[in-house]
């Protein structure tokens, strides 16, 4: 069982930066692939980024590639999402999730555990 708690969301102007954190409980954090997803009002939840258990493999949605960076610190049981050059269309609730898989996955149904989400609002 893994519990995930996101933090770091807030209000930022377009072009600004935020860093989200997701703290995980449990001793098996390093065995999970960790992903970030987001859901804007009236839209479906969508994939943003994922990192494998070792931190050596990452994958991004085209919409955030080159602007967002996912990383993890297994010693701290934490995964991060550094978001730069933010745009109003990045406004959403951001969720972290854990998947018991080798490699990386992008589909929601492959993730076993979810955090409660943190709001990111980008003003124009």
């Amino acid at each position: 069982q893994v519990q995930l708690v996101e933090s770091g969301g807030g209000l930022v102007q377009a072009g600004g930066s935020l860093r989200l954190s997701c703290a995980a409980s449990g001793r098996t954090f390093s065995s999970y692939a960790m992903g970030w997803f987001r859901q804007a009002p009236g839209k479906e939840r969508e994939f943003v980024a994922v990192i494998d258990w070792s931190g050596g493999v990452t994958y991004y949605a085209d919409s955030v590639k080159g602007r967002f960076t996912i990383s993890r610190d297994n010693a701290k049981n934490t995964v991060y999402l550094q978001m730069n050059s933010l745009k109003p269309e990045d406004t959403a609730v951001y969720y972290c999730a854990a998947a018991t898989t080798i490699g990386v996955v992008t589909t929601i149904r492959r993730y076993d555990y979810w955090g409660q989400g943190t709001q990111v609002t980008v003003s124009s």
Side-chain angles (χ1 to χ4, degrees):
Q1 189 81 338
V2 176
Q3 291 185 325
L4 305 172
V5 178
E6 302 96 334
S7 61
L11 174 64
V12 64
Q13 288 189 331
S17 298
L18 282 174
R19 188 175 82 154
L20 305 183
S21 299
C22 174
S25 65
R27 295 177 293 175
T28 59
F29 173 77
S30 60
S31 65
Y32 293 92
M34 297 298 298
W36 285 97
F37 291 78
R38 66 187 181 187
Q39 187 166 17
K43 295 187 177 182
E44 294 185 351
R45 192 171 299 189
E46 65 175 6
F47 165 78
V48 174
V50 61
I51 189 166
D52 80 331
W53 69 274
S54 72
V57 179
T58 59
Y59 186 76
Y60 299 90
D62 287 343
S63 58
V64 306
K65 200 171 296 182
R67 300 188 298 123
F68 290 11
T69 302
I70 189 171
S71 61
R72 67 190 296 163
D73 185 337
N74 286 342
K76 295 182 178 180
N77 280 12
T78 303
V79 62
Y80 305 97
L81 186 68
Q82 177 67 44
M83 305 186 295
N84 299 328
S85 303
L86 282 161
K87 305 175 181 180
E89 50 264 44
D90 294 318
T91 295
V93 177
Y94 283 70
Y95 300 89
C96 73
T100 52
T101 184
I102 296 174
V104 294
V105 290
T106 63
T107 53
I108 291 173
R109 63 180 174 82
R110 295 291 304 275
Y111 284 80
D112 304 291
Y113 305 101
W114 292 83
Q116 82 290 348
T118 185
Q119 176 70 47
V120 171
T121 302
V122 184
S123 63
S124 57

